[in-house]
């Protein structure tokens, strides 16, 4: 029913244009895993682009009509989960991955719930809110990626660690994109953090609050490092090629949070990125860490795990979380 080679080709082009960092790390996988990772990425990328009215993760577009865009994501994903053609190569690519790897509806719904939060103009009140958002938009993707790499759906701890890597990535991305989000009228820094820093709502980019903003973002970067450290433990349980790719991605994306933290008040003068030369360095270092006997020391689990965050999501559906609503941890 699906032209798999054509979908793989389209997905390879999508990841090459949409995420140079992820594209570089993906080449370390074996061919079968690499193609499935590309196919899954294509779905994630197009859902994100539809939700944010953007193209390949570029500048956010007109945010009106968010509910209609979310409905489009749900409709096309439902078709893909049913194994039916969607008319969109990215959603057809997802249908192929679902068939080949056993990705479940629940896994897909965890991701789509993150877009629902943005469609509701939701902002995090607490650290638990922030982590729940990161779970939906990135941690849940990490879970699906782990299944694509061959992790058993009932290997709860390894899936938790895979989720941790997604959380680390998203926390770093939020830290990097504070200025871009502010221009789009969004803020993912928890309101409680801003209050503790004496930053009034919506005023985080006023010059008199810059030092306090730097402190709040540094806190987010430390949280990202905690989750990255936990994720590296899970990577040690994968096969060599998968382990190498995951550790490369951890280094490349982890560098974003570290660069933002190191730049202090200059972090948003220009978009933080990782050079091609640095990517090669992270890949080489990851290869050494992926060798047998080079497993990292066991790391303590961060405050909230995948299963705890999923429980919060079930207790408080995304549609119920409106601006100013009580924290899902309450």
């Amino acid at each position: 029913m699906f032209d798999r080679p054509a979908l793989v080709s389209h997905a390879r082009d999508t990841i090459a244009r949409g995420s140079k960092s992820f594209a570089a790390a993906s080449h370390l996988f074996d061919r079968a895993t690499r193609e499935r990772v590309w196919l899954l990425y294509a779905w994630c990328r197009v859902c994100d682009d539809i939700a944010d009215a953007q193209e390949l993760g570029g500048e956010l577009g007109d945010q009106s009509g968010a509910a209609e865009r979310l409905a489009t994501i749900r409709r096309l994903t439902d078709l893909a989960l049913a194994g039916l053609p969607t008319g969109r190569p990215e959603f057809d690519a997802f249908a192929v991955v679902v068939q080949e790897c056993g990705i479940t509806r629940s896994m897909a719904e965890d991701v789509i719930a993150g877009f629902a939060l943005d469609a509701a103009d939701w902002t995090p009140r607490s650290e638990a809110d922030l982590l729940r958002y990161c779970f939906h938009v990135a941690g849940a993707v990490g879970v699906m990626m782990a299944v694509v790499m061959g992790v058993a759906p009932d290997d709860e701890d390894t899936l938790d660690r895979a989720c941790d890597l997604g959380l680390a990535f998203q926390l770093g991305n939020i830290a990097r994109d504070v200025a871009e989000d502010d221009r789009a009228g969004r803020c993912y820094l928890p309101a409680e953090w801003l209050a503790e820093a004496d930053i009034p709502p919506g005023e985080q980019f006023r010059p008199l609050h810059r030092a306090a903003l730097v402190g709040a973002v540094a806190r987010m970067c430390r949280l990202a490092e905690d989750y990255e450290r936990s994720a590296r433990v899970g990577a040690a349980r994968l096969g060599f090629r998968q382990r190498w790719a995951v550790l490369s991605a951890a280094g490349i994306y982890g560098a974003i949070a570290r660069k933002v933290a190191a730049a202090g008040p200059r972090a948003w003068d220009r978009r933080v990125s990782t050079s091609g030369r640095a990517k090669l360095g992270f890949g080489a270092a990851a290869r050494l860490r992926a060798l047998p006997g080079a497993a990292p020391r066991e790391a303590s689990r961060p405050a909230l795990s995948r299963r705890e965050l999923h429980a919060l999501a079930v207790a408080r559906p995304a549609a119920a979380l409106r601006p100013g609503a009580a924290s899902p941890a309450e």
Side-chain angles (χ1 to χ4, degrees):
M1 181 181 296
F2 297 108
D3 185 347
R4 191 181 190 282
L7 293 175
V8 168
S9 178
H10 179 84
R12 181 180 60 228
D13 180 62
T14 299
I15 196 171
R17 293 186 296 139
S19 177
K20 292 182 174 59
S21 295
F22 197 15
S26 73
H27 284 283
L28 302 178
F29 289 117
D30 60 273
R31 179 178 176 178
T33 304
R34 179 168 61 247
E35 290 182 352
R36 289 167 176 167
V37 164
W38 290 344
L39 293 168
L40 179 56
Y41 174 86
W43 174 76
C44 296
R45 177 72 274 155
V46 76
C47 287
D48 197 39
D49 286 347
I50 292 172
D52 286 341
Q54 62 184 5
E55 183 177 357
L56 294 171
E59 196 74 19
L60 297 175
D62 181 2
Q63 295 303 292
S64 62
E68 290 78 8
R69 293 196 301 276
L70 178 62
T72 296
I73 293 170
R74 290 191 188 281
R75 177 177 59 82
L76 294 175
T77 299
D78 282 344
L79 288 173
L81 287 165
L84 299 174
T86 68
R88 295 286 298 267
E90 302 88 354
F91 289 91
D92 288 350
F94 186 58
V96 171
V97 175
V98 168
Q99 292 173 358
E100 293 183 357
C101 301
I103 288 173
T104 66
R105 175 175 294 276
S106 176
M107 293 175 186
E109 288 175 349
D110 278 340
V111 175
I112 293 173
F115 303 128
L117 290 174
D118 279 333
D121 291 329
W122 172 90
T123 56
R125 176 179 173 184
S126 66
E127 183 174 298
D129 288 346
L130 167 66
L131 290 171
R132 180 190 159 184
Y133 175 77
C134 292
F135 161 68
H136 285 305
V137 300
V141 175
V143 171
M144 289 196 288
M145 286 290 180
V147 173
V148 166
M149 292 177 210
V151 175
D154 60 352
D155 186 348
E156 297 287 3
D157 189 69
T158 301
L159 293 180
D160 283 352
R161 304 284 183 170
C163 177
D164 288 347
L165 189 58
L167 294 172
F169 288 176
Q170 187 63 25
L171 288 165
N173 287 344
I174 290 173
R176 177 194 62 194
D177 296 339
V178 167
E180 180 182 324
D181 289 332
D182 183 70
R183 290 194 295 272
R186 294 181 178 179
C187 179
Y188 296 106
L189 293 165
E192 291 178 359
W193 287 14
L194 296 177
E196 290 170 16
D198 291 325
I199 302 176
E203 296 187 13
Q204 59 269 17
F205 257 89
R206 291 187 61 186
L208 73 162
H209 299 308
R210 181 55 63 96
L213 174 64
V214 168
V217 170
R219 181 175 177 179
M220 182 172 291
C221 292
R222 289 193 296 272
L223 194 57
E225 288 201 48
D226 289 342
Y227 277 101
E228 181 187 339
R229 194 176 302 113
S230 171
R232 289 178 180 274
V233 175
R237 302 167 187 165
L238 302 173
F240 173 73
R241 294 289 296 269
Q242 287 91 339
R243 189 161 64 245
W244 184 9
V246 168
L247 291 175
S248 294
I252 292 168
Y253 281 95
I256 292 174
R258 287 185 279 276
K259 281 187 174 184
V260 169
R266 299 183 304 279
W268 306 284
D269 290 350
R270 61 179 183 178
R271 201 168 195 261
V272 170
S273 62
T274 307
S275 70
R277 183 174 181 179
K279 289 183 177 72
L280 290 175
F282 285 122
R287 188 179 190 281
L288 294 176
R289 294 192 181 101
L291 293 172
R297 295 189 314 181
E298 190 73 18
S300 59
R301 294 307 318 282
L304 288 173
S305 72
R306 171 185 65 96
R307 281 167 282 181
E308 291 166 322
L309 291 167
H310 182 79
L312 292 178
V314 171
R316 296 294 302 279
L321 292 175
R322 301 287 177 176
S327 165
E330 295 176 350

